[in-house]
Amino acid sequence: MAKKALLSSVICIVSAAMLAACGGGSSSYDADSVVLHRGNNVEPLSLDPHKASGQWENNIIGDMFIGLFTEDADAQPVPGMAESYTVSEDGLTWTFTLREALWSDGVPVTAHDFVYAWQRITNPETGAQYVSLLYPIEGAFEVSNGADPSELGVRALDDRTLEVQLVNPAPYLPGLLTHYTTFPLPSHVVEELGDEWVRPGNIVVNGPYRLTEWRTNDFVHLRRNDSFFDNANVCIDDVYFYPSVDASAATRRVRSGEYDLNMEFPGQQLAVLRRDMPEYVRVHPYMQTAYFSFNTQLDKFSDPAVRNALGMAIDREFIADGILQAGHIPAYAMVPPGIANYAGGVGSQWAETPIEERREMARALLEEAGFGPDNPLRFEYTYRASGDNPRIAPAVQNDWSTIADWVQPSLIQNDTQIHYDNMRAGDFELSDGGWVADYNDPYNYLFLGETASIPMNYSRYSNPDYDALVTAANQELDVDVRAGMLAQAEQMLIDDMPIVPIVFYVNKNLVSPDVTGWDDNFTNIHRTRYLCFADIDAAAAE
């Protein structure tokens, strides 16, 4: 019996929730299986690549499917289903030759499966919330707004050759093509089963793992896909993803050995964790910005001066250093430092002003906007129940209340999935959120301010000048000129403040030292296919 299987058998005694994952029901595994237990933040709403929208869903979906590109162990884009590719001189036509590969039911994966998938996600009837990510593809915007699917700029030249036409040059396309919105789908299965295709027992995949069982609010179980083209280099046989909304409870499960890893821990526990279990602690820069969104369609938040007033009153330094306590950086811009092809230099004009002076400025701006004792500014601030967000909420409530007693915020906590659903529907006033980049390029942050990106543009911000500048930047072939234009656009976004940057995150993972193949990286994506255990690696080396 492998060491990991023996450990998993012992763990079964510890937790009733883990009992099912250790041999109960249809989710049992062989005694000599290599099993990984992963804490995964939040319960997924969907494992359909066209219905998902969260990083916690990406962690699972990316273990089941492979796109034209995929991530290596360091989360850098490398060819996946693409065996090779060429790019036209103008950067607008990309032609991919696919490797020979099979779906998990033995049917060959073809270029037609990519065409089918991309036409499905851009079909408005699919209701894909993330479709705007594909707008760099010719016709994607038009098709998603009702045009004929044939207008989409993707063609299967033959079973193994895919041609993609772009609206503008996209140097970031390899990174974009690692995202689950661009994965192929088994058209022969989806056409037969409809939305039921993604259920355990039905789902067919082309990646290293297939879905075996999903017990809501308990676990998602994936098992090795023997038909995966690189199966010979996969170590883990079975992987369980557990929703771990309570980061403190998940930390205890890692400490006790119930989880091999968890994708979060409370920042205020960093010092204790580094003292007690230093070999588990992984803290690393991350392509994530925490920010608040105003619903700009509400009269009280339609004025940039009002939005700036509330934005400048927030003590970001206290949030970063006093609450999060793990090296997070106060944010006065949307694009985090370190993003490729971008010099940055953007920030709020009042960023260097001391917080007390900023609150006096905020009061003056709100009074000029007509608010005061006889017309109080009342609003709801909604926030996610996960992570440190419940600790941040009363702090920002106090920041706003300090402006004047007639600034009267109330707090509402929601489950993370419901929270984001409400934001996409425009059913909020002022809400927290976070954006993890899908690829390493400033546009993946700045598209959130484009009119065409609604509903992912939660604020409903719509500025024709901003839209035109971002579009022009994306048509620019000179990387440095493009970066300067995008910086101008970001400054416009920050000055108008439909969104309020709060902090640039670091990733905070707890990973057992027994786990090998884990590389800290900027995107915090760690595919199970690259992970293993030290005892197995040692045995293989003998």
Side-chain angles (χ1 to χ4, degrees), residues 267-286:
Q268 67 273 18
Q269 296 183 20
L270 177 60
V272 172
L273 292 170
R274 279 182 166 161
R275 182 195 68 198
D276 294 348
M277 43 194 303
E279 67 275 18
Y280 284 76
V281 177
R282 304 293 192 102
V283 177
H284 192 268
Y286 190 22

Side-chain angles (χ1 to χ4, degrees), residues 84-274:
S84 63
Y85 66 97
T86 60
V87 184
S88 63
E89 186 174 344
D90 62 5
L92 297 180
T93 303
W94 293 57
T95 305
F96 299 89
T97 299
L98 304 188
R99 67 171 69 244
E100 293 184 358
L102 301 175
W103 292 105
S104 55
D105 62 357
V107 174
V109 182
T110 72
H112 302 282
D113 293 320
F114 282 91
V115 174
Y116 175 82
W118 293 6
Q119 288 183 345
R120 178 179 185 261
I121 193 173
T122 52
N123 185 335
E125 294 182 2
T126 301
Q129 299 163 349
Y130 229 149
V131 65
S132 56
L133 203 63
L134 273 66
Y135 285 172
I137 297 171
E138 181 72 41
F141 174 78
E142 290 78 8
V143 174
S144 70
N145 283 275
D148 190 274
S150 63
E151 295 188 21
L152 187 64
V154 55
R155 291 192 302 154
L157 303 184
D158 56 45
D159 282 353
R160 293 185 57 204
T161 309
L162 183 73
E163 182 185 85
V164 180
Q165 298 284 342
L166 303 181
V167 175
N168 46 253
Y172 52 82
L173 189 65
L176 172 58
L177 293 177
T178 68
H179 195 263
Y180 56 82
T181 53
T182 70
F183 290 169
L185 294 186
S187 54
H188 61 291
V189 176
V190 181
E191 282 297 290
E192 178 185 354
L193 300 176
D195 288 342
E196 296 297 302
W197 80 275
V198 78
R199 296 177 62 86
N202 293 341
I203 191 169
V204 170
V205 302
N206 73 323
Y209 295 94
R210 55 186 174 82
L211 178 64
T212 297
E213 186 171 10
W214 179 1
R215 296 189 183 180
T216 304
N217 293 316
D218 194 352
F219 62 79
V220 173
H221 175 201
L222 307 184
R223 178 167 292 161
R224 179 199 289 262
N225 170 25
D226 293 335
S227 298
F228 176 51
F229 63 79
D230 197 32
N231 180 54
N233 292 312
V234 175
C235 171
I236 302 297
D237 296 312
D238 293 84
V239 54
Y240 291 83
F241 292 87
Y242 302 94
S244 53
V245 174
D246 186 335
S248 293
T251 297
R252 291 191 294 271
R253 287 186 163 182
V254 174
R255 186 189 290 266
S256 70
E258 293 182 62
Y259 292 174
D260 296 303
L261 61 94
N262 191 60
M263 305 287 284
E264 178 70 33
F265 64 81
Q268 67 273 18
Q269 296 183 20
L270 177 60
V272 172
L273 292 170
R274 279 182 166 161

Side-chain angles (χ1 to χ4, degrees), residues 291-501:
Y291 67 101
F292 299 166
S293 294
F294 291 100
N295 187 338
T296 61
Q297 294 185 330
L298 300 177
D299 287 344
K300 57 189 166 189
F301 292 144
S302 62
D303 184 349
V306 172
R307 302 194 295 260
N308 267 274
L310 294 180
M312 69 177 61
I314 297 170
D315 189 343
R316 293 160 175 78
E317 285 67 23
F318 175 73
I319 292 173
D321 301 331
I323 297 178
L324 299 176
Q325 300 179 14
H328 299 77
I329 303 171
Y332 295 90
M334 188 62 182
V335 181
I339 292 295
N341 305 317
Y342 198 57
V346 174
S348 300
Q349 298 177 13
W350 36 261
E352 301 299 323
T353 305
I355 187 65
E356 294 304 326
E357 291 184 32
R358 296 207 316 245
R359 287 172 180 160
E360 292 176 5
M361 294 166 56
R363 180 183 180 118
L365 286 171
L366 292 177
E367 288 175 339
E368 290 176 10
F371 295 103
D374 297 329
N375 184 29
L377 176 56
R378 298 190 180 99
F379 60 92
E380 295 176 349
Y381 171 69
T382 54
Y383 61 95
R384 295 161 289 168
S386 57
D388 289 307
N389 302 302
R391 301 177 66 239
I392 294 172
V396 295
Q397 182 185 40
N398 181 70
D399 287 339
W400 292 319
S401 299
T402 303
I403 299 173
D405 58 10
W406 40 265
V407 178
Q408 299 169 3
S410 57
L411 302 181
I412 299 176
Q413 177 176 290
N414 285 324
D415 290 340
T416 299
Q417 304 97 319
I418 295 173
H419 180 83
Y420 279 118
D421 279 348
N422 290 343
M423 292 180 73
R424 285 187 287 267
D427 185 14
F428 72 100
E429 294 189 351
L430 175 58
S431 287
D432 82 335
W435 185 256
V436 181
D438 301 302
Y439 50 88
N440 192 352
D441 188 86
Y443 177 62
N444 193 229
Y445 293 89
L446 300 183
F447 94 103
L448 294 171
E450 290 184 293
T451 304
S453 294
I454 296 170
M456 298 304 290
N457 171 357
Y458 305 130
S459 70
R460 272 56 181 176
Y461 176 67
S462 182
N463 182 335
D465 293 335
Y466 177 86
D467 294 344
L469 185 54
V470 171
T471 297
N474 280 334
Q475 294 170 345
E476 175 58 55
L477 291 174
D478 187 296
V479 174
D480 293 333
V481 173
R482 175 179 181 267
M485 297 171 71
L486 289 176
Q488 292 178 45
E490 184 184 10
Q491 190 63 61
M492 188 182 301
L493 185 71
I494 294 302
D495 290 344
D496 281 353
M497 197 148 284
I499 57 177
V500 185

Side-chain angles (χ1 to χ4, degrees), residues 260 279-280 282 511-516 534:
D260 296 303
E279 67 275 18
Y280 284 76
R282 304 293 192 102
V511 183
S512 168
D514 291 335
V515 174
T516 60

